[in-house]
């Protein structure tokens, strides 16, 4: 079990000075957002959208705030199972983990949209740009989940099984489901979206990339949930031994992704950058 050996040599804390600790979990957010910004800027430049590095930076900062707030709130509401009502200060303990991708997506869209409105940037186009970079952040986030030893999978006899410290159930090797998600939601989804962004000139219509991202992420997440244990405070839903909260929240993403792709194909609106006061593409 070579991956198990690697896991047990990893420390969630990179460096600690007194009470101040720098953790891989926090660094993953910073690095993921920074690299996503680079991807967004480079794709926008290839599409000749006229967006500056300051534009992209401002939107990314707004996305970051929305992502963190939305991810934490969704986790507290949908996965907390009353725990945070009894321990309200723990809502702010994000360093312990407990972030929902689905909430982060909603928060990122809201935060990014507010910034786009202020900067007069096309929201649909920025959504398409943002989801091309998003899998980069997902990759680092899932790797950080692995280092933290959280969100582990079901027991397995596969040679890459890992014995997580806090999983309970005795000395059991489990699926490193965090790394499955890093591979599918991160690497595979990024390669698909990035390839789509390069294959057409002019670029594919607004909504193409957002729809593909939602469809791809929702599908991958739904499938991976079959080998990932649900949060113990929530468990399986509707009396089943397989349906999880993650799957329930992923189904709407798949439906939304398909709907957006259909509408995008029908409308065929071109990608635009800056808008004038009337909301039309700036000259």
């Amino acid at each position: 079990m070579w991956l198990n050996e690697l896991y047990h040599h990893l420390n969630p804390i990179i460096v600690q000075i007194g009470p101040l600790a720098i953790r891989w979990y926090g660094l993953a957010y910073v690095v993921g957002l920074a690299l996503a910004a680079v991807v967004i800027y480079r794709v926008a430049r290839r599409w000749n959208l006229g967006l500056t590095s300051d534009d992209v930076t401002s939107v990314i900062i707004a996305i970051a705030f929305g992502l963190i707030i939305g991810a934490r709130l969704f986790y507290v509401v949908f996965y907390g199972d009353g725990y945070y009502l009894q321990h309200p200060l723990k809502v702010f303990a994000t360093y312990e983990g407990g972030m929902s991708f689905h909430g982060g997506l909603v928060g990122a869209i809201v935060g990014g949209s507010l910034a786009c409105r202020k900067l007069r940037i096309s929201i649909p186009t920025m959504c398409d740009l943002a989801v091309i970079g998003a899998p980069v952040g997902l990759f680092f986030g899932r790797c950080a989940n692995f280092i933290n030893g959280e969100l582990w999978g079901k027991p397995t006899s596969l040679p890459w099984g890992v014995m997580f410290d806090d999983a309970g159930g005795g000395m059991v090797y489990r699926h490193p489901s965090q790394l499955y998600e890093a591979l599918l939601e991160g690497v595979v989804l990024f390669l698909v979206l990035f390839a789509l962004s390069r294959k057409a000139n002019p670029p594919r219509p607004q909504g193409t990339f957002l729809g593909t991202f939602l469809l791809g992420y929702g599908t991958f997440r739904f499938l991976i949930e079959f080998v990932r244990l649900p949060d113990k405070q929530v468990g399986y839903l509707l009396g089943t031994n397989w349906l999880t909260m993650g799957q329930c929240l992923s189904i709407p993403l798949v439906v939304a992704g398909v709907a957006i792709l259909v509408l995008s194909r029908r409308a065929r609106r071109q990608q635009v950058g800056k808008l004038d006061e009337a909301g039309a593409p700036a000259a």
Side-chain angles (χ1 to χ4, degrees):
M1 298 294 185
W2 59 272
L3 193 58
N4 183 63
E5 293 296 322
L6 173 63
Y7 166 73
H8 286 285
H9 282 85
L10 297 173
N11 189 337
I13 298 176
I14 303 173
V15 61
Q16 183 164 5
I17 303 175
L20 179 64
I22 300 176
R23 299 171 179 266
W24 288 109
Y25 194 79
L27 184 63
Y29 271 82
V30 174
V31 174
L33 285 165
L35 291 180
V38 172
V39 171
I40 291 170
Y41 178 71
R42 291 180 65 88
V43 175
R45 189 171 62 177
R46 187 182 310 117
W47 290 357
N48 295 316
L49 297 179
L51 300 181
T52 67
S53 58
D54 287 342
D55 291 330
V56 174
T57 300
S58 297
V59 173
I60 279 290
I61 291 173
I63 286 174
F65 276 103
L67 186 155
I68 293 171
I69 294 171
R72 189 58 173 172
L73 286 178
F74 260 61
Y75 185 85
V76 169
V77 172
F78 289 102
Y79 294 93
D81 195 33
Y83 172 80
Y84 294 99
L85 291 176
Q86 301 175 21
H87 307 86
L89 292 180
K90 284 291 187 178
V91 171
F92 303 100
T94 55
Y95 56 87
E96 295 180 356
M99 306 287 274
S100 164
F101 165 81
H102 304 86
L105 176 63
V106 173
I109 291 175
V110 172
S113 296
L114 292 174
C116 286
R117 289 191 65 179
K118 183 177 181 180
L119 297 170
R120 292 180 183 166
I121 297 172
S122 168
I123 293 174
T125 289
M126 182 53 70
C127 284
D128 275 346
L129 289 170
V131 296
I132 297 172
V136 178
L138 283 170
F139 172 79
F140 285 103
R142 293 310 184 191
C143 289
N145 289 146
F146 176 75
I147 295 173
N148 267 9
E150 58 190 2
L151 309 181
W152 49 76
K154 296 178 180 179
T156 181
S157 59
L158 293 171
W160 54 80
V162 176
M163 196 176 294
F164 292 101
D165 296 331
D166 300 323
M171 307 292 283
V172 178
Y173 287 101
R174 299 181 178 275
H175 286 284
S177 53
Q178 316 95 324
L179 298 185
Y180 298 168
E181 293 187 72
L183 176 63
L184 294 176
E185 301 165 6
V187 177
V188 172
L189 200 48
F190 172 74
L191 291 176
V192 170
L193 292 166
F194 192 69
L196 282 175
S197 76
R198 298 179 65 90
K199 282 192 173 182
N201 189 19
R204 297 173 190 272
Q206 288 182 342
T208 301
F209 300 90
L210 178 60
T212 302
F213 174 82
L214 294 177
L215 175 59
Y217 177 88
T219 300
F220 288 148
R221 177 64 182 271
F222 189 92
L223 294 174
I224 291 172
E225 288 285 320
F226 285 111
V227 296
R228 170 178 159 176
L229 283 178
D231 292 68
K232 60 183 179 181
Q233 70 274 20
V234 178
Y236 293 107
L237 305 179
L238 302 179
T240 70
N241 61 355
W242 61 271
L243 183 64
T244 68
M245 180 64 75
Q247 288 175 319
C248 289
L249 294 175
S250 294
I251 292 172
L253 297 186
V254 174
V255 174
V258 173
I260 291 172
L261 285 172
V262 171
L263 293 174
S264 170
R265 188 176 181 85
R266 290 178 179 174
R268 293 194 173 276
R269 293 194 177 98
Q270 67 177 1
Q271 303 286 359
V272 296
K274 290 282 194 174
L275 304 174
D276 59 24
E277 295 183 2

